[in-house]
């Protein structure tokens, strides 16, 4: 069972999957430990975590793929990788899709923004023309088919940010074209209200993803309602990053006064990171037991 096939099976279920987004191997591991079925490597959060900079196209293709590989090495649930604009022309898109598949991703997201891209809920977004947008998805699908011919597999998550600049009708039209080209999952970014979310899901075929940013443009609806509207995935790209940052800031401020805010105890911390599993596995190797002693 490949990660891509596992994701296909999840998408075939009659439910909207809650998908907390990760930014590194540890956050992804915690998502899996808490029983979630899949995760997404948020470009916003990964850029903040890896290079301490905003998600404005500053991370390179190589850095993003390396981050994805670290994450897939740490978990068994499907990971959707953020392939941004594909890092260049159509041939770059093909390389991006292939690289994410080899890194163990179940799916890769390719979008139609101008490079350098921006977070979907921040100002200044612009998209390429329809022809170039379709070229990117066509190249991504071609790369997927080439992988399948060689025994590999990956799903294409096609994203459009056209709602911001050109209106909802253009965004829906673009997503429909992406579906005709063979995209597996559709993502119309930043609908402004529930009525627009319903229009998106009613107009488009196949699995759709909602992107819920606390304080962002899209309403933060209950999961049952998202399912009823027609979404198969509800992504929460910044929830864990925001929680982690707030906890660290609170701890840093408390430490000035020799205070220790509530935190995970050392026993659970070691267990979640994997110390207990390491010790159990290492018992059968004499040389590894020295690490414990």
């Amino acid at each position: 069972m490949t990660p891509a096939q596992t994701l296909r099976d999840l998408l075939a279920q009659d439910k909207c999957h809650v998908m907390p987004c990760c930014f590194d191997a540890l956050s992804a591991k915690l998502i899996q430990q808490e029983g979630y079925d899949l995760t997404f490597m948020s470009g916003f959060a990964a850029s903040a975590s890896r290079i301490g900079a905003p998600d404005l196209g500053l991370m390179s293709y190589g850095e993003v793929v390396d981050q994805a590989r670290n994450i897939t090495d740490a978990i068994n649930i499907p990971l959707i990788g953020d392939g941004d604009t594909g890092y260049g022309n159509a041939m770059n898109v093909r390389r991006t899709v292939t690289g994410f598949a080899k890194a163990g991703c179940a799916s890769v997201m390719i979008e139609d923004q101008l490079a350098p891209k921006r977070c979907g809920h921040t100002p200044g977004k612009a998209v390429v023309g329809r022809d170039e947008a379709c070229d990117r998805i066509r190249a991504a699908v071609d790369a997927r088919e080439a992988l399948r011919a060689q025994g590999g597999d990956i799903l294409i998550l096609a994203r459009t940010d056209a709602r911001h600049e050109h209106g909802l009708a253009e965004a829906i039209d673009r997503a429909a074209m992406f579906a005709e080209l063979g995209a597996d999952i559709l993502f119309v970014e930043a609908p402004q209200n529930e009525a627009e979310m319903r229009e998106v899901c009613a107009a488009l075929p196949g699995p759709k993803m909602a992107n819920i940013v606390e304080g962002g443009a899209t309403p933060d609806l209950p999961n049952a309602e998202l399912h009823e509207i027609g979404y198969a995935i509800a992504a929460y790209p910044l929830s864990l990053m925001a929680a982690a940052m707030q906890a660290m800031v609170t701890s840093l401020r408390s430490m000035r006064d020799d205070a220790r805010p509530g935190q995970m105890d050392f026993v659970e911390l070691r267990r979640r990171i994997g110390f207990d599993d390491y010790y159990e596995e290492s018992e059968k190797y004499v040389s590894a037991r020295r690490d414990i002693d």
Side-chain angles (χ1 to χ4, degrees), residues 144-212:
R144 181 194 67 197
E145 296 309 303
L147 282 163
R148 287 178 178 172
Q150 299 167 8
D153 200 7
I154 195 167
L155 274 64
I156 306 302
L157 169 56
R159 163 178 166 172
T160 178
D161 286 78
R163 166 66 183 87
H164 175 77
E165 190 178 12
H166 301 288
L168 187 64
E170 173 65 13
I172 290 173
D173 285 348
R174 287 187 179 216
M177 289 188 288
F178 297 162
E180 290 177 7
L181 289 168
D184 301 285
I185 310 166
L186 300 178
F187 172 21
V188 174
E189 173 64 303
Q192 304 292 302
N193 50 54
E194 182 180 336
E196 290 194 0
M197 298 169 80
R198 289 184 177 277
E199 188 173 348
V200 165
C201 288
L204 296 172
K208 274 82 64 178
M209 187 177 89
N211 192 40
I212 310 299

Side-chain angles (χ1 to χ4, degrees), residues 12-264:
Q13 298 173 2
D14 183 21
K15 67 183 293 186
C16 179
H17 294 275
V18 176
M19 185 173 70
C21 297
C22 63
F23 47 88
D24 60 10
L26 180 58
S27 57
K29 186 178 256 190
L30 293 173
I31 290 168
Q32 177 172 297
Q33 288 173 356
E34 288 302 308
Y36 291 94
D37 292 325
L38 73 169
T39 186
F40 181 102
M41 188 185 79
S42 162
F44 187 116
S47 183
S49 172
R50 184 176 176 114
I51 65 173
D55 182 26
L56 296 172
L58 298 174
M59 277 182 75
S60 69
Y61 161 76
E63 289 173 311
V64 175
V65 169
D66 181 64
Q67 195 84 345
R69 187 178 298 109
N70 288 340
I71 292 168
T72 59
D73 283 346
I75 60 174
N76 297 317
I77 59 176
L79 173 70
I80 301 174
D82 187 349
D84 287 341
T85 61
Y87 304 98
N89 63 20
M91 295 306 294
N92 293 94
V93 172
R94 290 189 63 137
R95 180 173 185 247
T96 296
V97 172
T98 302
F100 274 72
K102 289 181 177 178
C105 291
S107 177
V108 58
M109 183 176 77
I110 300 294
E111 62 190 66
D112 62 356
Q113 280 197 48
L114 282 170
K117 59 74 58 87
R118 296 173 182 269
C119 168
H121 293 251
T122 55
K125 290 193 306 177
V127 294
V128 298
R130 281 190 176 194
D131 288 346
E132 185 173 351
C134 287
D135 231 23
R136 289 178 185 175
I137 302 306
R138 186 178 295 108
V141 170
D142 286 346
R144 181 194 67 197
E145 296 309 303
L147 282 163
R148 287 178 178 172
Q150 299 167 8
D153 200 7
I154 195 167
L155 274 64
I156 306 302
L157 169 56
R159 163 178 166 172
T160 178
D161 286 78
R163 166 66 183 87
H164 175 77
E165 190 178 12
H166 301 288
L168 187 64
E170 173 65 13
I172 290 173
D173 285 348
R174 287 187 179 216
M177 289 188 288
F178 297 162
E180 290 177 7
L181 289 168
D184 301 285
I185 310 166
L186 300 178
F187 172 21
V188 174
E189 173 64 303
Q192 304 292 302
N193 50 54
E194 182 180 336
E196 290 194 0
M197 298 169 80
R198 289 184 177 277
E199 188 173 348
V200 165
C201 288
L204 296 172
K208 274 82 64 178
M209 187 177 89
N211 192 40
I212 310 299
V213 176
E214 292 85 347
T218 300
D220 186 356
L221 301 177
N223 183 260
E225 190 167 351
L226 292 172
H227 176 231
E228 185 269 323
I229 288 172
Y231 287 106
I233 302 173
Y236 296 84
L238 301 182
S239 301
L240 292 191
M241 169 64 72
M245 289 177 68
Q246 183 60 62
M248 287 190 282
V249 169
T250 299
S251 294
L252 289 166
R253 289 174 177 171
S254 299
M255 288 168 69
R256 289 195 187 100
D257 301 319
D258 288 332
R260 300 292 182 268
Q263 58 190 25
M264 185 177 292

